[in-house]
Amino acid sequence: MPETLPWDRVGPQFKKDRKRAGILIDLRRCVGCHACSVSCKTEHEVPLGGFRMRVRYLERPEADRSTIAFTPLICMHCQDAPCLNACPSNAIVRGEDGRVVVDEGKCDLEQECVTACPYGAIFINEEKQVAEKCDLCQHRTDVGLDPACVSSCPSEALQFGDFDDPEDPVTKIAAATGAKGWKEDEGTKPSVLYVDHEPWMEEKANGGVQLSDADEDIIYEQNNLKRKEQA
Amino acid sequence: MSIQSLSRRDLLKIGSGLAASGLVTIPSFAKEITTNPAPAGRLGRIDYSKAKATPTICFGCTTHCGVVGWVQDGRVRRIDGNPLDPNSKGNICSKAQGMISYTYYPERLLYPLRRVGKRGEGKWKRVTWDEALGELADKMRPLRENGTPEEFVFHYGRDKTKGYTKRFTEAFGTPHRLNRRSICSSNRRAPLMSFYGREFEWETQDFENTKYIINFGGNPMEAYQGGLYMMHRIQHARVDKGARMVTFEVRPSATASVSDDYFPIMPGTDGAVAFAMIHVILEEGLENREFWDRWANYPIEDLRKVVADYTPEWAESHSGVPAADIRRIAIDFAKAAPACCTMSNRGSAKHYNGVQADRAIRTLDVLVGNVGKPGGFCLSTLRGWAGRYGQEGLPKLSQPGPKTSSPKPWGIGEGYNETAFKKLPQEVQDRVNAFPDYWKEKYFGELATPSEYPLAWHWYQMRVGQLVYPYIREGRQKVSVYMSYTLGAAYGYPEANLVRDVLMDEELIPFHVAVDISYGEQAELADLILPEATSLERWDMHGTNNYGLIPYTGVRQPLTKPLGQCRSIQHILKDLAQRIGGGVEEYFAFDDMESFYKEWFKNLPIPWEDFKQRGIWMDETREKDYELYERSLTEAELEGTEVDSETGIITNTESGKAVGIVKDGKSIRGFDTPHRLIGVYDEIWKIGAEATGLPMDDVNASPIAIYDTVPEHKELADDRYVFTTFKWNVHTQGRSAQWKYHSEIVHTNPVFMHPDTGAKLGVAEGDSVKLTVFRPTGHTYKGGEPGAMGDFENHVRFLKGMHPRVVACSHHAGHSAQGSVARAKNQLTGPKEGIAGDKGATQDPDIPKGIWWSKEKGGIGGGVAINDALPINPCPLTGGQNWYDNVCTVEKV
């Protein structure tokens, strides 16, 4: 076998140094397939009921458009992270490449982070007894692999890179398309940027990753269904 | 998908690992942080310094992408795409991870089980393989000895062994290797084979290079055989190269949602729109006259006559699609030619008029001359490599010998199985005796080759799966041993209650053995259950059409040992053959499975070890399959041939088979049809109608595509709706509800409708409705039978993208078996003798307590079973199930 197989090019020597690790989410490409969200659950053995990420199915509100918009929602790895600021135990820290991570050893389950996050990115893992959220698959990126979600996306709607590197494709595409963060007014300066996301999506998906009763969604039915109260 | 690619260096150990005390230091952070130890029942983070990736072929749906499975400590932890697969190019979807879910499902069947108590009572005892196969062999052996091997019926739902199970059924001597093709795609395969020959029952549009796609009800973004191969190419073409896609659909599917234009369309009227487009293209003079005259077997002036009245305005009156848009799209499509293509699948085809609709849609491509062109409607080989059309120069890949042969056909005549034939009802015998010879020669009884549906087996045996159970009940075929293989008919067939009734009847089905990985609705009704190895634990030869247009092959190989006492179907049939004896064992005399597959692939130009390491092989230097029909015949191919001076057809005198055609003095391949042209016109529909007594004015009797409204949609009353079903991207058919992460996302199947429909019915979202379904009225099973056929209750959801006359429920949900995840229950429900439950490798802290959507936990539950209410509805002649014609009423409950 002359060449190295792609899946053998794995190891700490393949790790890239980044200053501002982030994900570009290109909604022009997303087809709502859930490869990313299911990959994430598999990779991290996320218990049923908890979500590090979701793929939202939002019915377009325009009168002349009757289709569905898909948008993955994830921890935004904010440069000014409300969760990090809120945690009384200093259990949320920032890595060298800017990612925001829970230090499980320090988590005291005060849940301030859950409330503080405008993106609903954090849930409580009852099994591990900690707050849990996306960590950009640190155990994968350390060996040169992309985060599980990015690796799984079949239409390149998710791309991982360094928004601080002007030559990185994510930076270039973000610049060319005017990619923006979700809920920019919150001032969180997210390192997850979206191409083509529209303001109405933020309203319909206000509950973010964990959803809320007021959210509208086609696919996560139980959380969304407006049912009549049983007598 | 992007695995980093850098230069090769020696691997260094990372040095991290779980310390005995449990906390793990993460060294890559400026500050050191810790992660808690994995909770009980969890495995902890994948350690990529230990985990090894091995390529295999996915089995999460029927597309079968090349993947790699990461295995750590003997356990498959995650699936990634295999970038070496030229079709999927390293891409996967959510269903790939489903393989892990079903392999480690706490309710996975791990031990052979024998029924105790009454059939269907759910009482089982564990038996050894020796006992299980011993009993089965003892029941099967006499069938051969008594000269009635056809009383062994093998019926599969999903079989990707590429001929291994056929090896067994042929060695045994039964023609009854039944399938579920008609449940799915017969109606869209028949038109393709009529146009392009048996080799091309599926097309391979060149989406990478296309500029314009017209999609009639296909949904490759979520389902569709080959969907993922199509999806990633379509998205690239659209986002990066400006390609446009127009979709006609009845609901806002994912494909409709990412299309540049989406038109809700009345079900069963796709043909009308396609005809109108043909009309416009001819009117505007945008047809590719040269291509048509060269290759279509039908004069264009006759086509003009066929579509003379099929105007856009006429099509609008049927379909609801605005005439101006039909006109505009037809023109844009033709102007983009040859880099344009149509796409259609069940949406257009699974209707009474669906076969003709697809023939019209296929005509569009011929009309603008995009067939086989870059960006166009191409054809690339889909079958095993045996030197067929389009496979020239490819290494031959065939099962190791000895080669089995088909049992004798039934009928009167020397060498025919007269005994079996004479057991058939007289009416059937009379019909078959009046058949043309080419049908008589391949008639094998009513289950494999139903005489009322000759086009279900004219090109090859697509069969009519949904009639198997009614036919058994009617006594058209005696059954002694019935084997269900990965079959979910008792859940997923139309009139599933009829399936269950037949399976419960010990006179009709004296012995039922089910081979599967979970205790589903079919296995519940068995006498013997044989637990199968999953796709992560077995071998298979792999091949399918490459949307990159160069043929390739792959191998499915075991990533781990089968759990419990599971065995692959290959092992099971080999063992069974050896026990049955009487000559059957001669075809299964090999020792180990790997050497069997190594032999199968022996003609590949790379060593077996290399092939296993890559998982995929393709000749990178081979030309893409453009314009196969224009390729010159080689000297060798021309040897022993003669040319018909009138037609130009070049025939091999020895085999009698046509091999090419002379055009402009050149001997070229042409199309793989008897006339070497494109079969726009085909007498076979007329012949089939004559042979079966189908009235000649039925839409299905026409040798040229024509339009007629679905019979029960004519004058559809105001209070009637069309009920349709669909698939979600996170599920596949009826076997994925047990996948925990997927069912977490979709676990119900509400009735989707337009908000206006809701207003008309006086229902709000979340209200319950009762859907009452009526029988179809055309020439089909119980056609015209009055009264309700069935009903079910479910709750309502609104989507403004729904066609206002359509109500829709998804497939996949409403299970009464397949364990706690599928049934949304917080107790394990599988037979405790057959599963491991909460022990060993299949223990899972999520199952069953973590199923939060169960009704016990105040959740919405696992959906409603709907198939009992869906009528058996085979399309005349081809037998494809007309799933999408159902007429229903909807009442608030």
Side-chain angles (χ1 to χ4, degrees), chain B residues 606-842:
Chain B
I606 58 172
W608 174 241
E609 289 305 317
D610 288 1
F611 181 51
K612 278 197 300 175
Q613 284 203 33
R614 299 173 54 90
I616 296 285
W617 180 77
M618 181 178 83
D619 177 357
E620 311 269 344
T621 66
R622 192 180 175 88
E623 272 178 40
K624 285 193 180 190
D625 282 342
Y626 292 129
E627 293 183 282
L628 289 173
Y629 48 89
E630 294 286 357
R631 295 198 184 166
S632 301
L633 293 177
T634 62
E635 291 254 345
E637 284 165 334
L638 283 168
E639 237 182 80
T641 61
E642 61 183 15
V643 183
D644 180 310
S645 51
E646 223 185 278
T647 61
I649 296 175
I650 304 168
T651 307
N652 180 301
T653 45
E654 201 191 307
S655 67
K657 289 207 171 119
V659 298
I661 191 167
V662 176
K663 290 271 183 199
D664 310 324
K666 270 179 73 191
S667 296
I668 58 176
R669 194 87 54 73
F671 289 89
D672 199 32
T673 48
H675 39 66
R676 309 310 290 182
L677 304 171
I678 300 175
V680 175
Y681 176 91
D682 196 340
E683 294 261 323
I684 207 67
W685 269 275
K686 199 163 131 236
I687 293 167
E690 282 158 357
T692 59
L694 181 70
M696 295 316 288
D697 64 354
D698 188 284
V699 67
N700 289 288
S702 177
I704 184 69
I706 55 167
Y707 183 79
D708 195 7
T709 306
V710 171
E712 53 269 25
H713 295 179
K714 291 182 181 175
E715 287 146 27
L716 194 64
D718 222 37
D719 67 337
R720 303 278 148 126
Y721 297 88
V722 178
F723 175 72
T724 195
T725 54
F726 65 94
K727 294 191 179 148
W728 286 106
N729 47 26
V730 291
H731 279 295
T732 191
Q733 281 100 21
R735 61 183 171 100
S736 61
Q738 50 171 302
W739 306 351
K740 60 178 176 175
Y741 298 136
H742 301 75
S743 275
E744 179 169 49
I745 298 169
V746 171
H747 36 266
T748 53
N749 55 348
V751 179
F752 283 103
M753 61 175 65
H754 195 284
D756 291 353
T757 309
K760 210 170 131 205
L761 294 165
V763 297
E765 274 219 318
D767 283 351
S768 278
V769 291
K770 176 167 140 178
L771 251 80
T772 305
V773 184
F774 302 93
R775 290 238 178 240
T777 58
H779 297 279
T780 184
Y781 179 83
K782 299 198 178 178
E785 196 178 83
M789 185 264 138
D791 60 71
F792 62 87
E793 282 181 28
N794 208 336
H795 66 274
V796 165
R797 297 290 309 279
F798 292 151
L799 279 176
K800 57 184 175 140
M802 293 296 298
H803 188 283
R805 293 310 286 281
V806 173
V807 291
C809 290
S810 79
H811 185 28
H812 325 297
H815 278 278
S816 57
Q818 289 203 12
S820 51
V821 174
R823 301 175 65 187
K825 298 233 176 276
N826 297 113
Q827 306 80 37
L828 298 182
T829 64
K832 58 179 181 345
E833 300 81 2
I835 65 176
D838 54 4
K839 297 188 281 291
T842 53

Side-chain angles (χ1 to χ4, degrees), chain B residues 120 140 182 213 229 234 304 355 388 406 419 477 571 579 589:
Chain B
M140 289 176 68
S182 63
I213 303 166
Y229 309 139
I234 292 173
R304 229 182 275 277
V355 173
R388 302 184 176 105
S406 165
T419 320
Q477 178 60 50
H571 275 108
R579 286 168 191 267

Side-chain angles (χ1 to χ4, degrees), chain A residues 36-203:
Chain A
C36 55
S37 62
V38 171
S39 189
C40 174
K41 296 226 51 160
T42 305
E43 185 79 29
H44 298 279
E45 301 177 284
V46 178
L48 292 181
F51 298 87
R52 290 182 172 218
M53 77 178 297
R54 296 247 213 189
V55 178
R56 303 300 301 272
Y57 276 39
L58 307 170
E59 190 176 43
R60 292 187 172 278
E62 303 100 307
D64 61 347
R65 295 187 78 180
S66 60
T67 55
I68 301 188
F70 309 108
T71 179
L73 288 183
I74 196 170
C75 164
M76 304 297 180
H77 293 278
C78 308
Q79 295 182 282
D80 186 0
C83 59
L84 192 155
N85 298 336
C87 179
S89 320
N90 295 318
I92 299 190
V93 300
R94 191 175 297 283
E96 302 170 324
D97 60 3
R99 72 180 73 191
V100 178
V101 179
V102 175
D103 185 345
E104 291 180 1
K106 288 199 175 142
C107 177
D108 255 338
L109 282 182
E110 269 147 306
Q111 306 199 35
E112 304 280 348
C113 55
V114 175
T115 328
C117 177
Y119 306 111
I122 307 179
F123 68 96
I124 300 302
N125 185 325
E126 304 285 352
E127 285 176 19
K128 297 207 281 194
Q129 290 287 293
V130 292
E132 181 166 323
K133 69 173 196 64
C134 165
D135 67 327
L136 288 178
C137 286
Q138 166 272 318
H139 66 298
R140 286 176 61 95
T141 57
D142 268 358
V143 294
L145 291 170
D146 277 340
C149 55
V150 172
S151 185
S152 305
C153 179
S155 59
E156 250 138 341
L158 299 177
Q159 295 187 61
F160 180 61
D162 186 350
F163 283 116
D164 212 59
D165 175 0
E167 294 309 306
D168 195 309
V170 300
T171 314
K172 289 182 167 171
I173 298 171
T177 58
K180 293 187 335 221
W182 202 266
K183 292 191 178 179
E184 276 197 321
D185 293 345
E186 297 275 345
T188 56
K189 303 205 252 332
S191 291
V192 174
L193 300 181
Y194 286 78
V195 179
D196 266 21
H197 95 273
E198 296 156 58
W200 65 265
M201 295 178 183
E202 294 184 5
E203 235 183 86

